[in-house]
Amino acid sequence: MRGRKMYAFEIATRGNASEWVTAASGVGVFSRAPKPTVRSIAERWIHEQTGRLRGGRLVVVGRRRGAPRGFVPSVRIRLLDRAGHRPLASAYIGVDRRDVVRRDGYELPTPMGVDRG
């Protein structure tokens, strides 16, 4: 991809009732294709949340896919077209379902509080 492209993005976390709650959104000009762009946004957000995340892994998917089966996401980052209507790529932060409850007592991460101030 050459040049610069304007994308909208949305970062959401799981609320108490398992619904997605928007934590941040915006529009920016980027020089990469959608999947590398959403990965970059996700990695920056992870870095900004140091000490607040309980672990997990990052999964990046294309425009037509949701989180993989067997994966329990706690954060969703969506990259949308400029108008914010058409999804282009998504990234999820979460854990594999088989890792949700193990013998060591690890449980699904609780919903994250996002500092909005």
Side-chain angles (χ1 to χ4, degrees), residues 22-103:
T22 302
S25 62
V27 176
V29 177
F30 300 91
S31 60
R32 298 182 190 172
K35 285 175 80 172
T37 298
V38 78
R39 176 180 293 281
S40 175
I41 293 168
E43 289 172 348
R44 182 174 179 172
W45 190 83
I46 290 167
H47 179 71
E48 291 171 353
Q49 302 304 313
T50 300
R52 296 183 201 163
L53 295 176
R54 295 186 62 188
R57 68 183 178 103
L58 175 64
V59 174
V60 178
V61 297
R63 77 175 94 193
R64 293 190 180 115
R65 293 191 49 211
R69 252 199 277 203
F71 186 74
V72 182
S74 56
V75 179
R76 177 187 71 194
I77 299 100
R78 294 191 313 163
L79 190 70
L80 308 161
D81 66 354
R82 177 184 199 156
H85 301 297
R86 188 172 54 105
L88 303 173
S90 298
Y92 296 92
I93 302 167
V95 296
D96 291 313
R97 191 169 307 281
R98 68 177 184 271
D99 294 336
V100 171
V101 178
R102 297 188 308 194
R103 273 184 271 192

